[in-house]
Amino acid sequence: MAGGIRERHGDDLAENHEINVTPFIDVMLVLLIIFMVAAPLATVDVNVDLPASSAQPAQRPDEPLYLTVKEDLGLNLGNDPVQREQLAATLDRVTESDKETRIFLRADKAIEYGQFMEVMNLLRDAGYLKIALVGLETLSGAAPSASAEQGATAAAPASGESQ
């Protein structure tokens, strides 16, 4: 009854029980335009046909084997220092020549990429192809604190692996 004639008695204003939806429609149209513009910006433009995997996640070993590259380019297997020339023999002794053992590789962030790859090549030449890269878990956008950097044994493997 938007255009109805109403009788008024005196100076009292009559209550209007009709909902005015015009502002609601205006807001909805503005939001629709915003989402239509923003939706294409939120998608990835690289088309990839990803394969499906039915593999079960690998169980973590009870005693992980860490190989650490220190800032001075020294190597530690677990807590014990090891020479580069003796790395293959030491790995064979520790793993009982099990080449399927996953090696968790950690490196100081000051190490250059080429020197890091040399260590990975040493592992590959020794026959150890399952290498997990270890890094500190941080919140997105947050820098790790100094105490977190010192507690490197609490770091978890990164998602990238070399097979």
Side-chain angles (χ1 to χ4, degrees):
M1 299 275 195
I5 300 175
R6 298 189 181 122
E7 295 179 15
R8 297 189 182 204
H9 300 290
D11 290 336
D12 293 338
L13 295 175
E15 292 183 15
N16 184 3
H17 297 287
E18 297 173 0
I19 297 174
N20 187 3
V21 294
T22 305
F24 177 71
I25 292 172
D26 291 344
V27 169
M28 294 306 291
L29 287 174
V30 169
L31 288 174
L32 178 66
I33 292 170
I34 289 172
F35 287 128
M36 287 173 58
V37 170
L41 300 176
T43 60
V44 178
D45 291 337
V46 179
N47 294 327
V48 177
D49 187 19
L50 296 175
S53 174
S54 61
Q56 296 294 326
Q59 294 182 358
R60 291 190 173 197
D62 294 333
E63 187 67 30
L65 184 59
Y66 287 103
L67 178 63
T68 306
V69 184
K70 297 184 293 186
E71 188 175 4
D72 63 355
L73 300 180
L75 297 177
N76 278 23
L77 189 60
N79 292 327
D80 304 323
V82 63
Q83 297 297 320
R84 288 178 185 257
E85 301 81 24
Q86 299 298 322
L87 180 62
T90 306
L91 280 171
D92 287 340
R93 186 182 74 244
V94 170
T95 63
E96 298 172 353
S97 297
D98 182 12
K99 303 292 185 185
E100 295 297 313
T101 302
R102 186 170 313 276
I103 309 295
F104 293 92
L105 183 58
R106 305 183 302 174
D108 191 275
K109 63 182 175 181
I111 301 296
E112 292 182 14
Y113 183 72
Q115 296 164 339
F116 182 73
M117 288 304 297
E118 287 177 13
V119 175
M120 288 188 69
N121 287 334
L122 287 173
L123 289 171
R124 187 192 59 182
D125 293 342
Y128 294 91
L129 301 178
K130 292 190 175 187
I131 303 167
L133 303 179
V134 179
L136 292 176
E137 291 182 359
T138 60
L139 298 174
S140 60
S145 63
S147 62
E149 290 177 6
Q150 292 173 354
T153 57
S159 59
E161 286 185 12
S162 173
Q163 292 287 338

